[in-house]
Amino acid sequence: MNGKDLFNFGPVFGYFFRKNDPSRQSNFNLRTMHFINKLSMAMFLVGLGVLLYRWFLR
């Protein structure tokens, strides 16, 4: 693994913006799990942005 692979955010953005697959069955638990996953990734990215702001712009 090299440094370029560590900063490959393509799959993360693909997870946020993918369309629903009609052939896949969905239920409340699955939708809730995906919502919590998206929320936790968004909170992590916001926190990372705040840390980078504090380190480089202060």
Side-chain angles (χ1 to χ4, degrees), residues 9-24:
F9 293 112
V12 174
F13 292 124
Y15 182 77
F16 274 102
F17 300 113
R18 69 180 175 190
K19 295 183 180 181
N20 290 338
D21 187 4
S23 65
R24 232 185 246 185

Side-chain angles (χ1 to χ4, degrees), residues 11-50:
V12 174
F13 292 124
Y15 182 77
F16 274 102
F17 300 113
R18 69 180 175 190
K19 295 183 180 181
N20 290 338
D21 187 4
S23 65
R24 232 185 246 185
Q25 201 173 28
S26 179
N27 60 21
F28 175 76
N29 292 332
L30 188 62
R31 286 192 309 268
T32 304
M33 180 196 67
H34 284 292
F35 172 75
I36 291 171
N37 285 344
K38 290 178 184 180
L39 182 63
S40 65
M41 283 191 281
M43 289 174 64
F44 171 77
L45 291 174
V46 167
L48 185 64
V50 168

